[in-house]
Amino acid sequence: MSQGNKGIKMLVIITIVIVVLIIALIFLNNAKNSSIGKVYNKPLEIAGQPFIGEENAPVTVIEFGDFKCPSCKAWGEMIYPQLEKDFIATGKVKFMFVNVLFHGEESERGSLAAETVWKLFPEYYWAFHHALFAAQPASQKHDEPWLTTEKVMEIIQEINGIDEKQFAASFQNKELISEVEKDMQFVDEYNVQYTPSIVVGDTMVKDPFDYETIKTLIEKKLEGM
Ligand code: CA
């Protein structure tokens, strides 16, 4: 091969590399900009769910979560406190939690326990909710069974104000299982694919840990009112 041919070959390779890099950059930039996930044709119609904040707050934020899901535990520790401080405590956002049962029997047990507390002792719902997430093992062991009836009862006993016997009678008879089934229907209806899924009004956030996008979406909705 002559020197000239080698030069042309090198030039072709360099050109290809540059083109590939440009395409990759465009792709990455687009991925970064599309922080919005699904947009529904109207705000989600989900009533009667555990909520915190002003009942008639202008914006509703919904978490679809699972007590067995490690990312949901992390979201509650890393993102929720900011949302609480900026928007829930200030009366701008009503925050709701809908159960997702992606981890079988234990998800169902956690959901049923939470629905039971919400129905019988609503003022203690969030204490129970946070205590149950706190009980989730932080290590890789979260896949091993931990959300047992014993664990649920242990947490219930730690919350002063919940009548343990009244709770146990309802929980063990699965009296509120229809509430859990209702949540499964919402998950189906709104095509929730992963947990946690965060929906601001009618818009799902692509990355639930992207607080800036959550904040921007809430502010846009507040401005539009
Ligand atoms: Ca529910």
Side-chain angles (χ1 to χ4, degrees):
M1 201 184 279
S2 73
Q3 286 299 329
N5 273 349
K6 266 190 185 169
I8 289 169
K9 203 176 169 190
M10 192 55 83
L11 201 67
V12 168
I13 291 171
I14 289 170
T15 307
I16 289 172
V17 167
I18 289 172
V19 168
V20 166
L21 279 175
I22 290 171
I23 291 171
L25 277 176
I26 291 171
F27 182 79
L28 280 175
N29 202 38
N30 280 345
K32 209 174 86 187
N33 286 340
S34 57
S35 50
I36 304 296
K38 259 189 283 282
V39 179
Y40 300 94
N41 54 10
K42 58 182 175 185
L44 274 52
E45 285 171 359
I46 293 181
Q49 300 304 309
F51 74 89
I52 186 166
E54 293 290 332
E55 186 154 19
N56 298 314
V59 179
T60 299
V61 174
I62 301 171
E63 175 187 0
F64 288 90
D66 185 334
F67 292 105
K68 271 286 282 182
C69 140
S71 302
C72 300
K73 177 186 171 82
W75 191 89
E77 289 167 0
M78 293 161 64
I79 307 298
Y80 175 78
Q82 303 176 58
L83 181 71
E84 215 280 324
K85 180 171 164 278
D86 294 346
F87 298 107
I88 301 172
T90 53
K92 292 170 183 161
V93 160
K94 172 183 178 182
F95 178 76
M96 264 193 229
F97 185 84
V98 175
N99 294 292
V100 182
L101 282 71
F102 285 167
H103 295 265
E105 193 191 344
E106 284 180 273
S107 297
E108 186 191 289
R109 188 176 294 121
S111 303
L112 178 64
E115 294 291 355
T116 305
V117 175
W118 174 245
K119 180 83 175 181
L120 301 179
F121 311 98
E123 65 273 44
Y124 298 106
Y125 172 83
W126 292 100
F128 178 79
H129 176 108
H130 294 304
L132 192 52
F133 271 122
Q136 183 191 115
S139 66
Q140 292 302 315
K141 290 184 176 166
H142 60 81
D143 271 342
E144 290 174 14
W146 63 268
L147 212 169
T148 59
T149 298
E150 292 70 31
K151 180 55 79 183
V152 166
M153 290 313 297
E154 190 186 307
I155 294 169
I156 289 294
Q157 283 156 13
E158 280 166 11
I159 301 173
N160 285 329
I162 294 185
D163 182 331
E164 192 190 319
K165 282 189 184 142
Q166 197 189 341
F167 170 86
S170 173
F171 176 59
Q172 279 156 15
N173 290 325
K174 297 194 173 188
E175 278 174 4
L176 289 154
I177 198 72
S178 61
E179 288 299 318
V180 176
E181 287 161 359
K182 216 185 268 176
D183 287 4
M184 289 166 78
Q185 284 168 16
F186 289 137
V187 167
D188 206 36
E189 184 181 348
Y190 293 113
N191 194 21
V192 173
Q193 302 280 356
Y194 58 87
T195 53
S197 281
I198 304 298
V199 179
V200 179
D202 58 357
T203 307
M204 191 178 275
V205 181
K206 197 166 213 172
D207 172 7
F209 289 88
D210 173 8
Y211 184 67
E212 279 311 305
T213 294
I214 296 175
K215 200 174 160 203
T216 306
L217 277 171
I218 295 170
E219 282 164 352
K220 270 191 191 157
K221 305 250 179 253
L222 289 168
E223 276 167 27
M225 280 164 182

PDB file of all heavy atoms in Angstrom, residues 133-149:
ATOM      1  N   PHE A 133     -40.938   1.256  55.559  1.00  0.00           N
ATOM      2  CA  PHE A 133     -39.793   1.436  54.655  1.00  0.00           C
ATOM      3  C   PHE A 133     -38.477   1.394  55.437  1.00  0.00           C
ATOM      4  O   PHE A 133     -37.489   0.839  54.972  1.00  0.00           O
ATOM      5  CB  PHE A 133     -39.900   2.747  53.869  1.00  0.00           C
ATOM      6  CG  PHE A 133     -40.647   2.580  52.571  1.00  0.00           C
ATOM      7  CD1 PHE A 133     -41.790   3.318  52.307  1.00  0.00           C
ATOM      8  CD2 PHE A 133     -40.205   1.680  51.605  1.00  0.00           C
ATOM      9  CE1 PHE A 133     -42.485   3.168  51.112  1.00  0.00           C
ATOM     10  CE2 PHE A 133     -40.894   1.521  50.401  1.00  0.00           C
ATOM     11  CZ  PHE A 133     -42.030   2.270  50.158  1.00  0.00           C
ATOM     12  N   ALA A 134     -38.483   1.964  56.627  1.00  0.00           N
ATOM     13  CA  ALA A 134     -37.256   1.969  57.439  1.00  0.00           C
ATOM     14  C   ALA A 134     -36.862   0.541  57.827  1.00  0.00           C
ATOM     15  O   ALA A 134     -35.679   0.235  58.005  1.00  0.00           O
ATOM     16  CB  ALA A 134     -37.463   2.828  58.685  1.00  0.00           C
ATOM     17  N   ALA A 135     -37.869  -0.335  57.927  1.00  0.00           N
ATOM     18  CA  ALA A 135     -37.598  -1.727  58.325  1.00  0.00           C
ATOM     19  C   ALA A 135     -37.032  -2.553  57.169  1.00  0.00           C
ATOM     20  O   ALA A 135     -36.511  -3.650  57.376  1.00  0.00           O
ATOM     21  CB  ALA A 135     -38.886  -2.373  58.835  1.00  0.00           C
ATOM     22  N   GLN A 136     -37.120  -2.012  55.946  1.00  0.00           N
ATOM     23  CA  GLN A 136     -36.579  -2.742  54.787  1.00  0.00           C
ATOM     24  C   GLN A 136     -35.052  -2.804  54.909  1.00  0.00           C
ATOM     25  O   GLN A 136     -34.418  -1.768  55.065  1.00  0.00           O
ATOM     26  CB  GLN A 136     -36.962  -2.020  53.487  1.00  0.00           C
ATOM     27  CG  GLN A 136     -36.487  -2.755  52.252  1.00  0.00           C
ATOM     28  CD  GLN A 136     -36.612  -1.919  50.968  1.00  0.00           C
ATOM     29  OE1 GLN A 136     -35.635  -1.569  50.342  1.00  0.00           O
ATOM     30  NE2 GLN A 136     -37.851  -1.573  50.599  1.00  0.00           N
ATOM     31  N   PRO A 137     -34.464  -4.012  54.854  1.00  0.00           N
ATOM     32  CA  PRO A 137     -33.009  -4.100  54.994  1.00  0.00           C
ATOM     33  C   PRO A 137     -32.315  -3.295  53.899  1.00  0.00           C
ATOM     34  O   PRO A 137     -32.713  -3.353  52.737  1.00  0.00           O
ATOM     35  CB  PRO A 137     -32.717  -5.595  54.819  1.00  0.00           C
ATOM     36  CG  PRO A 137     -34.017  -6.283  55.041  1.00  0.00           C
ATOM     37  CD  PRO A 137     -35.086  -5.321  54.626  1.00  0.00           C
ATOM     38  N   ALA A 138     -31.297  -2.534  54.298  1.00  0.00           N
ATOM     39  CA  ALA A 138     -30.625  -1.647  53.342  1.00  0.00           C
ATOM     40  C   ALA A 138     -29.674  -2.403  52.423  1.00  0.00           C
ATOM     41  O   ALA A 138     -29.349  -1.940  51.346  1.00  0.00           O
ATOM     42  CB  ALA A 138     -29.867  -0.569  54.095  1.00  0.00           C
ATOM     43  N   SER A 139     -29.256  -3.588  52.834  1.00  0.00           N
ATOM     44  CA  SER A 139     -28.272  -4.337  52.045  1.00  0.00           C
ATOM     45  C   SER A 139     -28.936  -5.033  50.863  1.00  0.00           C
ATOM     46  O   SER A 139     -30.110  -4.838  50.586  1.00  0.00           O
ATOM     47  CB  SER A 139     -27.619  -5.380  52.928  1.00  0.00           C
ATOM     48  OG  SER A 139     -28.596  -6.335  53.285  1.00  0.00           O
ATOM     49  N   GLN A 140     -28.165  -5.842  50.191  1.00  0.00           N
ATOM     50  CA  GLN A 140     -28.677  -6.619  49.055  1.00  0.00           C
ATOM     51  C   GLN A 140     -29.705  -7.650  49.529  1.00  0.00           C
ATOM     52  O   GLN A 140     -30.340  -8.307  48.724  1.00  0.00           O
ATOM     53  CB  GLN A 140     -27.526  -7.344  48.353  1.00  0.00           C
ATOM     54  CG  GLN A 140     -26.559  -6.416  47.653  1.00  0.00           C
ATOM     55  CD  GLN A 140     -27.229  -5.540  46.623  1.00  0.00           C
ATOM     56  OE1 GLN A 140     -28.044  -6.014  45.836  1.00  0.00           O
ATOM     57  NE2 GLN A 140     -26.931  -4.250  46.631  1.00  0.00           N
ATOM     58  N   LYS A 141     -29.835  -7.766  50.817  1.00  0.00           N
ATOM     59  CA  LYS A 141     -30.706  -8.813  51.354  1.00  0.00           C
ATOM     60  C   LYS A 141     -32.200  -8.496  51.249  1.00  0.00           C
ATOM     61  O   LYS A 141     -33.027  -9.263  51.720  1.00  0.00           O
ATOM     62  CB  LYS A 141     -30.355  -9.072  52.820  1.00  0.00           C
ATOM     63  CG  LYS A 141     -29.016  -9.755  52.975  1.00  0.00           C
ATOM     64  CD  LYS A 141     -28.750 -10.085  54.424  1.00  0.00           C
ATOM     65  CE  LYS A 141     -27.443 -10.864  54.547  1.00  0.00           C
ATOM     66  NZ  LYS A 141     -26.996 -10.916  55.936  1.00  0.00           N
ATOM     67  N   HIS A 142     -32.524  -7.338  50.624  1.00  0.00           N
ATOM     68  CA  HIS A 142     -33.939  -6.971  50.569  1.00  0.00           C
ATOM     69  C   HIS A 142     -34.779  -7.999  49.829  1.00  0.00           C
ATOM     70  O   HIS A 142     -35.980  -8.047  49.975  1.00  0.00           O
ATOM     71  CB  HIS A 142     -34.104  -5.580  49.939  1.00  0.00           C
ATOM     72  CG  HIS A 142     -33.567  -5.522  48.555  1.00  0.00           C
ATOM     73  ND1 HIS A 142     -34.273  -5.978  47.485  1.00  0.00           N
ATOM     74  CD2 HIS A 142     -32.380  -5.091  48.072  1.00  0.00           C
ATOM     75  CE1 HIS A 142     -33.540  -5.828  46.398  1.00  0.00           C
ATOM     76  NE2 HIS A 142     -32.394  -5.292  46.716  1.00  0.00           N
ATOM     77  N   ASP A 143     -34.122  -8.825  48.969  1.00  0.00           N
ATOM     78  CA  ASP A 143     -34.872  -9.845  48.234  1.00  0.00           C
ATOM     79  C   ASP A 143     -35.260 -11.012  49.140  1.00  0.00           C
ATOM     80  O   ASP A 143     -36.167 -11.759  48.848  1.00  0.00           O
ATOM     81  CB  ASP A 143     -34.052 -10.367  47.055  1.00  0.00           C
ATOM     82  CG  ASP A 143     -34.302  -9.534  45.801  1.00  0.00           C
ATOM     83  OD1 ASP A 143     -35.335  -8.813  45.782  1.00  0.00           O
ATOM     84  OD2 ASP A 143     -33.498  -9.612  44.870  1.00  0.00           O
ATOM     85  N   GLU A 144     -34.541 -11.154  50.234  1.00  0.00           N
ATOM     86  CA  GLU A 144     -34.898 -12.209  51.179  1.00  0.00           C
ATOM     87  C   GLU A 144     -36.140 -11.770  51.948  1.00  0.00           C
ATOM     88  O   GLU A 144     -36.362 -10.587  52.153  1.00  0.00           O
ATOM     89  CB  GLU A 144     -33.732 -12.441  52.157  1.00  0.00           C
ATOM     90  CG  GLU A 144     -32.534 -13.083  51.483  1.00  0.00           C
ATOM     91  CD  GLU A 144     -31.326 -13.190  52.402  1.00  0.00           C
ATOM     92  OE1 GLU A 144     -31.489 -13.009  53.622  1.00  0.00           O
ATOM     93  OE2 GLU A 144     -30.235 -13.458  51.878  1.00  0.00           O
ATOM     94  N   PRO A 145     -36.952 -12.746  52.376  1.00  0.00           N
ATOM     95  CA  PRO A 145     -38.194 -12.365  53.064  1.00  0.00           C
ATOM     96  C   PRO A 145     -37.923 -11.560  54.340  1.00  0.00           C
ATOM     97  O   PRO A 145     -37.077 -11.936  55.136  1.00  0.00           O
ATOM     98  CB  PRO A 145     -38.820 -13.715  53.417  1.00  0.00           C
ATOM     99  CG  PRO A 145     -38.156 -14.711  52.545  1.00  0.00           C
ATOM    100  CD  PRO A 145     -36.795 -14.193  52.252  1.00  0.00           C
ATOM    101  N   TRP A 146     -38.548 -10.425  54.445  1.00  0.00           N
ATOM    102  CA  TRP A 146     -38.471  -9.642  55.695  1.00  0.00           C
ATOM    103  C   TRP A 146     -39.829  -9.049  56.050  1.00  0.00           C
ATOM    104  O   TRP A 146     -40.113  -8.783  57.214  1.00  0.00           O
ATOM    105  CB  TRP A 146     -37.427  -8.509  55.582  1.00  0.00           C
ATOM    106  CG  TRP A 146     -37.767  -7.484  54.536  1.00  0.00           C
ATOM    107  CD1 TRP A 146     -37.368  -7.492  53.227  1.00  0.00           C
ATOM    108  CD2 TRP A 146     -38.587  -6.321  54.691  1.00  0.00           C
ATOM    109  NE1 TRP A 146     -37.916  -6.413  52.561  1.00  0.00           N
ATOM    110  CE2 TRP A 146     -38.662  -5.686  53.429  1.00  0.00           C
ATOM    111  CE3 TRP A 146     -39.287  -5.755  55.772  1.00  0.00           C
ATOM    112  CZ2 TRP A 146     -39.397  -4.514  53.221  1.00  0.00           C
ATOM    113  CZ3 TRP A 146     -40.014  -4.594  55.551  1.00  0.00           C
ATOM    114  CH2 TRP A 146     -40.061  -3.991  54.290  1.00  0.00           C
ATOM    115  N   LEU A 147     -40.687  -8.869  55.028  1.00  0.00           N
ATOM    116  CA  LEU A 147     -41.975  -8.221  55.302  1.00  0.00           C
ATOM    117  C   LEU A 147     -42.986  -9.272  55.770  1.00  0.00           C
ATOM    118  O   LEU A 147     -43.879  -9.687  55.027  1.00  0.00           O
ATOM    119  CB  LEU A 147     -42.457  -7.470  54.047  1.00  0.00           C
ATOM    120  CG  LEU A 147     -43.281  -6.204  54.300  1.00  0.00           C
ATOM    121  CD1 LEU A 147     -43.468  -5.428  53.003  1.00  0.00           C
ATOM    122  CD2 LEU A 147     -44.576  -6.430  55.002  1.00  0.00           C
ATOM    123  N   THR A 148     -42.776  -9.711  56.987  1.00  0.00           N
ATOM    124  CA  THR A 148     -43.586 -10.788  57.565  1.00  0.00           C
ATOM    125  C   THR A 148     -44.710 -10.192  58.425  1.00  0.00           C
ATOM    126  O   THR A 148     -44.689  -9.002  58.750  1.00  0.00           O
ATOM    127  CB  THR A 148     -42.700 -11.659  58.475  1.00  0.00           C
ATOM    128  OG1 THR A 148     -42.156 -10.792  59.487  1.00  0.00           O
ATOM    129  CG2 THR A 148     -41.560 -12.298  57.708  1.00  0.00           C
ATOM    130  N   THR A 149     -45.652 -11.034  58.790  1.00  0.00           N
ATOM    131  CA  THR A 149     -46.724 -10.599  59.687  1.00  0.00           C
ATOM    132  C   THR A 149     -46.130 -10.151  61.030  1.00  0.00           C
ATOM    133  O   THR A 149     -46.567  -9.157  61.613  1.00  0.00           O
ATOM    134  CB  THR A 149     -47.738 -11.750  59.896  1.00  0.00           C
ATOM    135  OG1 THR A 149     -48.294 -12.059  58.623  1.00  0.00           O
ATOM    136  CG2 THR A 149     -48.854 -11.362  60.850  1.00  0.00           C
TER     137      THR A 149
END
